[in-house]
Amino acid sequence: MRKNLGIISSVLFLMALVSWLPIYVDVKSFSEQSVFYATGGVVTGLFSSPSGYKFIGLIGNGLVLGFLVVLPYFL
């Protein structure tokens, strides 16, 4: 079960990345879906067993959250 959480975290990273792409087309639109996917990916990644999927999910979702939540406050 814990191995599946790493795979789910990686899939949520890919979903967050795909839902993040429309931001580049229209600057005024903000995709809350990608924030929800990335947050869920970080949470599931924290509880998964150590594997490559866990690290892909944690780093990828962390970057998405960094670009969507943290970075706009500094610009």
Side-chain angles (χ1 to χ4, degrees), residues 13 16-17 20 34-35 38 59-70:
F13 164 61
L17 197 62
W20 182 33
S34 58
V35 174
I59 292 171
N61 288 317
L63 287 174
V64 169
L65 283 176
F67 279 112
L68 288 177
V69 176
V70 177

Side-chain angles (χ1 to χ4, degrees), residues 6 9-10 13 45 48-62:
S9 176
S10 297
F13 164 61
S48 66
S49 62
S51 67
Y53 291 117
K54 176 181 182 169
F55 296 116
I56 290 171
L58 281 176
I59 292 171
N61 288 317

Side-chain angles (χ1 to χ4, degrees), residues 10-69:
S10 297
V11 169
L12 286 173
F13 164 61
L14 293 175
M15 290 172 61
L17 197 62
V18 168
S19 65
W20 182 33
L21 293 177
I23 291 174
Y24 289 114
V25 177
D26 184 19
V27 177
K28 295 180 182 178
S29 70
F30 182 76
S31 179
E32 292 89 10
Q33 286 180 347
S34 58
V35 174
F36 292 134
Y37 292 148
T39 305
V42 167
V43 170
T44 56
L46 287 174
F47 292 113
S48 66
S49 62
S51 67
Y53 291 117
K54 176 181 182 169
F55 296 116
I56 290 171
L58 281 176
I59 292 171
N61 288 317
L63 287 174
V64 169
L65 283 176
F67 279 112
L68 288 177
V69 176

